[in-house]
Amino acid sequence: MSARVVVLGAAGRFGHTAAEAFRDAGWMVASLVRPGSAARAPADTEVVEVDALDHDAVGAAARGADVVLHALNPSYSDWSRRALPLAYSAITAAETGGATLVFPGNLYNYGSPLPPVIDENTSMRPSSRKGQLRVAIEDRMAEAAERGARIIILRAGDFYGGGRGSWFDLVLTKEIGRGRVTYPGPLDLVHEWAYLPDLASTLPRLAAVRETLPPFARFTFPGHAATGREFTSAIAAATHSKLQVDRMTWWLIHALRPIVPLCRELSEIAYLWNEPHRIEGGKLKAAIGDIPRTPLDVAVARALEDLAVG
């Protein structure tokens, strides 16, 4: 019998792509989406409409699962209110059903100054509220592991590909139709990107070896560590055009920080664009073998196709 995964937040970009990856790998997939969002769930999966903060309902839906994937992601300005409660819901569901909980980590945990090379042993010293929340979430997961749960955290850089809702479409390619791209940082600094289909394909492979891992297992996913110039050049090549490259107006975001909540949140994580960093993935490769990695030029071209650009 195939293993069963319950994807919390399967209507979102990450959850949707991950649910498809598990489905294509032969897993039985239950897609949990908020009421009224069934049409946005991946095809050929069991669709369950439930309020993610209804812990009992989520736990009931996850009963009998082998893996629970926490793909719930509150809006950017709503993290402080909802991030921890959503994490508690995912932890409770996994513990109640005896399932392994899988969680996508990010780089907010590492504050400024940002370590130039990041792996599973890199110390976490968050310098933003979002970073503090992410560390708190992972601490709660570590506590669950001490109680007997199994936890897998797969940490990656900025997502792109798989649709809308990332820096790639909201900033970089927002004005591509006018022959312009906007890059958030210096063009000569390395930034860590994660092509979402590659990251999603990694999840079922990690889940398949879950019983060989320690109760609390962290992995880092090496995606595309590229300079801004390399990344914007890949966009230009994919569109077969010469694009004007502008810099993001951080000064305005910083100035509006005291009065605009979204600007405050963005201002706190600006360092991620101004300090070079990359992810090392030796531990992940040792666990699953070759790590899915689409070449940068191909990945960028496909990400643009997802946006109907190119």
Side-chain angles (χ1 to χ4, degrees):
M1 181 178 295
S2 298
R4 181 172 183 261
V5 59
V6 173
V7 179
L8 309 181
R13 187 165 57 101
F14 173 79
H16 193 284
T17 307
E20 290 181 327
F22 274 101
R23 179 201 63 198
D24 294 346
W27 288 62
M28 295 183 294
V29 179
S31 297
L32 268 64
V33 300
R34 70 183 62 182
S37 299
R40 296 170 54 197
D44 300 320
T45 66
E46 174 193 354
V47 181
V48 181
E49 295 186 59
V50 65
D51 182 347
L53 291 176
D54 185 338
H55 293 192
D56 291 339
V58 173
R63 194 169 293 125
D66 299 283
V67 171
V68 171
L69 174 63
H70 177 11
L72 300 165
N73 193 31
S75 62
Y76 214 70
S77 58
D78 207 20
W79 268 41
S80 60
R81 187 172 65 89
R82 291 173 59 89
L84 272 174
L86 290 172
Y88 288 139
S89 187
I91 292 169
T92 300
E95 285 192 290
T96 300
T100 297
L101 177 61
V102 178
F103 178 62
N106 65 20
L107 300 184
Y108 293 170
N109 303 49
Y110 310 101
S112 181
L114 194 63
V117 180
I118 295 169
D119 64 14
E120 297 79 7
N121 298 315
T122 304
S123 297
M124 297 180 186
R125 299 185 179 93
S127 57
S128 67
R129 276 166 285 197
K130 279 186 169 52
Q132 292 163 0
L133 272 172
R134 297 293 292 211
V135 170
I137 287 170
E138 293 186 24
D139 285 345
R140 300 295 85 75
M141 292 179 177
E143 292 168 1
E146 292 176 357
R147 295 192 298 266
R150 282 191 171 274
I151 310 291
I152 299 174
I153 296 174
L154 180 60
R155 194 178 316 284
D158 277 313
F159 296 168
Y160 74 103
R164 298 184 179 275
S166 70
W167 286 90
F168 186 78
D169 61 284
L170 296 176
V171 177
L172 270 80
T173 63
K174 183 179 180 180
E175 295 188 286
I176 198 168
R178 299 171 56 192
R180 306 158 69 104
V181 293
T182 301
Y183 195 75
L187 292 177
D188 59 344
L189 293 188
V190 172
H191 185 82
E192 183 71 41
W193 294 89
Y195 181 52
L196 188 51
D198 287 345
L199 179 66
S201 296
T202 303
L203 294 171
R205 297 174 64 176
L206 257 183
V209 300
R210 61 192 181 279
E211 294 184 1
T212 68
L213 303 176
F216 185 65
R218 281 188 175 125
F219 294 92
T220 49
F221 176 84
H224 295 119
T227 65
R229 186 167 287 103
E230 290 169 336
F231 203 82
T232 54
S233 294
I235 295 173
T239 58
H240 307 289
S241 59
K242 185 175 181 179
L243 300 172
Q244 177 179 325
V245 180
D246 298 327
R247 288 285 304 277
M248 185 169 165
T249 53
W250 280 107
W251 67 266
L252 180 59
I253 292 172
H254 294 320
L256 293 174
R257 175 176 177 171
I259 56 176
V260 180
L262 179 58
C263 289
R264 181 191 66 209
E265 302 295 339
L266 289 172
S267 181
E268 287 191 356
I269 54 87
Y271 69 93
L272 287 164
W273 294 99
N274 292 297
E275 299 177 17
H277 61 280
R278 66 176 180 84
I279 285 176
E280 202 281 330
K283 181 180 176 181
L284 179 61
K285 183 174 182 179
I288 67 169
D290 289 339
I291 301 169
R293 191 177 190 280
T294 303
L296 177 63
D297 58 342
V298 176
V300 167
R302 290 177 180 172
L304 289 169
E305 289 173 4
D306 292 339
L307 303 174
V309 174

